[in-house]
Amino acid sequence: MATAADFERMLRGQGLRVTRPRVAVLSAVHAHAHADTDSIIGVVRGELGEVSHQAVYDVLRALTVAGLVRRIEPAGSVARYEARVGDNHHHVVCRSCGAIADVDCAVGHAPCLTPSDSSGFEVDEAEVTYWGRCPTCSETAK
Ligand SMILES: [Zn+2]
Ligand SMILES: [Zn+2]
């Protein structure tokens, strides 16, 4: 489990000034994979007290631009954030409850899905969303 000192090091490593909201948001994203903005705000408020929505949005944007967190947005879902960055993994999303889980690269290394024709583009990333039902939802549907 990463500590506050680790998060401060990550921020500095990306040239970001260390602030309490930045450390709190980064730590919340590490602790709650695929959390949406509202849940992150809840966690950060639990730790720091009153923090504005805007402040948390701003920090999330800065962390995303710096590559410390990854923003995903499956169709029909609000934006989610995760700390697992840089490995081009994919996601499986439950159609019923919206639960999200990680799926490793489909085959081999990024982009892991070679297009049959890339129209001359140099492809370095593939973003795949698998849709289905999570174990809980498929169980209750029986
Ligand atoms: Zn589900
Ligand atoms: Zn993920």
Side-chain angles (χ1 to χ4, degrees):
M1 191 65 201
T3 64
D6 295 324
F7 297 131
E8 290 174 15
R9 206 166 23 245
M10 290 177 206
L11 290 168
R12 288 204 193 91
Q14 296 303 319
L16 292 175
R17 209 158 42 83
V18 173
T19 64
R20 292 183 70 215
R22 281 178 180 170
V23 172
V25 170
L26 191 52
S27 138
V29 175
H30 273 259
H32 307 273
H34 314 125
D36 61 15
T37 310
D38 285 344
S39 341
I40 294 168
I41 289 172
V43 174
V44 170
R45 283 188 176 158
E47 196 170 320
L48 297 185
E50 193 51 35
V51 180
S52 70
H53 273 75
Q54 193 57 48
V56 174
Y57 281 121
D58 289 348
V59 171
L60 282 170
R61 190 170 330 114
L63 296 179
T64 304
V65 170
L68 290 173
V69 307
R70 177 177 171 197
R71 182 183 195 273
I72 57 164
E73 195 167 354
S77 163
V78 295
R80 313 288 191 115
Y81 295 87
E82 64 182 344
R84 184 177 164 183
V85 295
D87 68 350
N88 190 212
H89 71 272
H90 308 298
H91 295 98
V92 57
V93 183
C94 176
R95 279 187 211 283
S96 305
C97 72
I100 300 180
D102 285 336
V103 176
D104 288 342
C105 243
V107 180
H109 298 286
C112 84
L113 290 172
T114 308
S116 49
D117 179 3
S118 61
S119 304
F121 285 53
E122 271 185 39
V123 176
D124 57 25
E125 183 178 345
E127 191 175 338
V128 178
T129 305
Y130 299 91
W131 295 90
R133 275 194 197 188
C134 73
T136 311
C137 290
S138 45
E139 194 53 44
T140 50
K142 276 176 194 157

